[in-house]
Amino acid sequence: MRLTKFTDLALRAVMRLAVPGAPGQDPSVTTREVAEVMAVPYAHMAKVVTRLQHLGVVEARRGRGGGLVLTETGRGASVGWLVRMLEGEEEVVTCEGDTPCPLRAACRLRGALREAQEAFYRTLDPLTVADLVESPTGPVLVSLGAHPAG
């Protein structure tokens, strides 16, 4: 199974938001800053942040002192739940469509792949966003956003 780039960006964004900034830095983080740190286009990250807001994982505050904040729901969110929400309920293989698979009525592969997909999610279920940023990941994330004193 392969995650979409969208889900990958969302997971990286929540991981960045789950760690406080470097000492002496402004604790608020903007969408643009997250995009820069993760080396992705701003427009992509803006779409990701909007989806995370709809899921209640991220809060965006406008104005002076504004920025992105990971909600308590987001911090405690199961990674399995988050990936399910971001990936949708798509099956690993598509047996219907313009050219339906001739085996679809008697196929055992589709069920096995569905079970494997659910096992993948179950493996991620006990892991929370907060777990993802424990050492050594958290300090690396903070260092990515640190600007050298100059």
Side-chain angles (χ1 to χ4, degrees), residues 4-25:
T4 62
K5 185 69 172 175
F6 188 87
T7 299
D8 176 42
L9 292 178
L11 292 171
R12 288 195 267 160
V14 297
M15 288 170 66
R16 174 55 193 95
L17 295 174
V19 294
Q25 275 190 331

Side-chain angles (χ1 to χ4, degrees), residues 9-22 25-31 33-38 45 58 68-70 75 129 132-133 137-147:
L9 292 178
L11 292 171
R12 288 195 267 160
V14 297
M15 288 170 66
R16 174 55 193 95
L17 295 174
V19 294
Q25 275 190 331
D26 182 355
S28 64
V29 180
T30 66
T31 302
E33 289 167 339
V34 174
E36 287 173 7
V37 166
M38 296 302 162
M45 189 56 70
V58 170
L68 303 175
V69 177
L70 188 66
R75 185 170 303 287
V129 170
L132 294 178
V133 296
T137 307
V140 171
L141 283 164
V142 169
S143 73
L144 292 176
H147 300 290

